[in-house]
Amino acid sequence: MSAADVESPPSLPDFLTDPNAVLKDNATWRYGKPPDYSNTRAVWQWTKEKNHPSTSLPSLVENLVKNWEIEASFKPSLKDWRTVDHSKYTFAINGGPPQSAEHMLKVGTYNAIITEPSEFYSPRTSDFASSHKTFKRMMPTFAWEVLDVYSGPPQVAFRWRHWGEMRNDYVGFNDKGEKVTVPNHGQTISIQGVTVANLNDKYQIEQLETWFDPLDMFRQIAPNGIGNKEIVGTANMKERESKDERSEEAVVEDLKREEGNAIASAERSAETREAHEEMSVIQPAECPFLNAE
């Protein structure tokens, strides 16, 4: 058999090999243009726990989910989503009922994932825009990585980590409609979970099922309990929403500044970690201040 007769393996879609593939799409974007993920990717590079080879299964899964998240958050038209099978796609949290892509587009990714109301937050008192402001202002960069992959396509089971640094106060509305404020503590918030994804033969997502503890994030946001609760009536909530209706450009600029601060903090953390690693192996004779005359 000649080399020409050997069937070459099918090429992988770009959303498996490039975490930013869908950002290059000619699509309708929520705020008129593709979002800038450079700061989040930089924080991921500096503070991730795993270093998967670029062609490994964990890396491919990580890229798929990152592109899916971009589309779910910033492509308001389902027809522009390339990472999912439009005829079959559903999304479920913690054994709950499967939700459609249209539902996620309506309520927002945060509200689709944090499904149960609590004393910290309720998806029933926040819409797409306000939920993103609540979490993105508090934590401008929320990096994501795959930790382990337990099975390959068509059913991919994997464990993941989602983390960021609390840069501003948490301000949200809970299950009683109370305004909840938690002072910024500047510490890292890190959550983990497990997801099972069913893929079609084009590696598009048909079904996502995720399990995690949403209260784990809030316990880290408020390790000393909720700082302040304020009863807010319906009229005051509407007034709050009208006062908070700044232009998207202004909100984006605020987030970019905070993301820049988060990157600087991540770089310092990485430098400190590297210095500690270097000092841990140094010998007394090599340390000048231990051998000063």
Side-chain angles (χ1 to χ4, degrees):
M1 181 183 290
S2 68
D5 296 326
V6 178
E7 220 177 275
S8 60
S11 60
L12 295 174
D14 60 350
F15 55 73
L16 287 186
T17 59
D18 177 2
N20 302 310
V22 299
L23 290 173
K24 304 163 189 172
D25 292 353
N26 181 18
T28 299
W29 294 97
R30 185 169 297 279
Y31 302 126
K33 61 182 179 180
D36 183 357
Y37 270 72
S38 58
N39 288 340
T40 297
R41 299 294 186 251
V43 170
W44 166 82
Q45 183 65 45
W46 280 105
T47 58
K48 62 183 177 177
E49 292 183 355
K50 297 288 187 174
N51 287 294
H52 303 299
S54 60
T55 57
S56 66
L57 180 58
S59 178
L60 300 179
V61 173
E62 189 170 274
N63 291 337
L64 170 61
V65 175
K66 285 180 176 178
N67 280 296
W68 166 83
E69 187 275 328
I70 292 171
E71 295 192 314
S73 296
F74 294 101
K75 286 183 175 180
S77 177
L78 180 58
K79 67 179 179 60
D80 289 330
W81 292 25
R82 295 198 287 122
T83 57
V84 305
D85 184 329
H86 295 179
S87 65
K88 296 182 178 180
Y89 173 78
T90 60
F91 179 89
I93 290 290
N94 293 333
Q99 303 290 343
S100 66
E102 288 82 2
H103 171 77
M104 180 171 281
L105 285 171
K106 179 181 178 181
V107 304
T109 48
Y110 287 104
N111 287 338
I113 292 171
I114 305 172
T115 56
E116 294 298 322
S118 71
E119 63 173 328
F120 297 97
Y121 181 80
S122 173
R124 298 169 188 166
T125 55
S126 293
D127 59 13
F128 195 120
S130 61
S131 64
H132 276 245
K133 289 175 183 177
T134 289
F135 292 103
K136 286 184 177 293
R137 284 176 176 171
M138 175 196 68
M139 193 161 45
T141 57
F142 202 13
W144 190 90
E145 69 174 333
V146 166
L147 297 176
D148 302 291
V149 176
Y150 305 117
S151 62
Q155 188 173 74
V156 185
F158 55 94
R159 185 168 64 95
W160 49 262
R161 172 178 172 250
H162 213 357
W163 76 101
E165 190 175 282
M166 188 175 184
R167 305 290 303 180
N168 294 294
D169 293 352
Y170 168 80
V171 181
F173 289 82
N174 67 11
D175 52 351
K176 297 178 181 178
E178 299 168 323
K179 181 180 179 181
V180 175
T181 303
V182 180
N184 162 39
H185 54 57
Q187 301 301 309
T188 297
I189 295 166
S190 179
I191 60 174
Q192 294 188 16
V194 172
T195 294
V196 176
N198 289 343
L199 308 182
N200 63 17
D201 57 1
K202 298 177 181 177
Y203 303 105
Q204 293 171 312
I205 301 167
E206 296 181 338
Q207 183 183 54
L208 278 177
E209 293 185 88
T210 291
W211 291 266
F212 82 115
D213 179 7
L215 287 180
D216 183 32
M217 177 177 68
F218 291 110
R219 285 191 289 266
Q220 294 178 61
I221 290 172
N224 300 315
I226 294 175
N228 183 58
K229 288 183 183 178
E230 177 185 346
I231 298 175
V232 180
T234 304
N236 288 337
M237 285 186 70
K238 289 181 179 178
E239 181 182 355
R240 182 267 304 180
E241 289 171 357
S242 66
K243 287 181 178 179
D244 202 35
E245 283 304 317
R246 304 163 62 212
S247 70
E248 291 298 338
E249 290 79 6
V251 173
V252 169
E253 286 304 313
D254 284 349
L255 293 177
K256 283 183 177 179
R257 280 194 293 273
E258 290 299 332
E259 287 177 343
N261 292 337
I263 289 177
S265 176
E267 290 175 346
R268 288 194 297 271
S269 297
E271 289 170 358
T272 301
R273 184 169 61 250
E274 290 172 1
H276 285 178
E277 290 172 354
E278 291 174 0
M279 290 299 290
S280 68
V281 298
I282 198 168
Q283 299 298 317
E286 299 171 323
C287 193
F289 55 78
L290 290 180
N291 293 282
E293 290 284 332

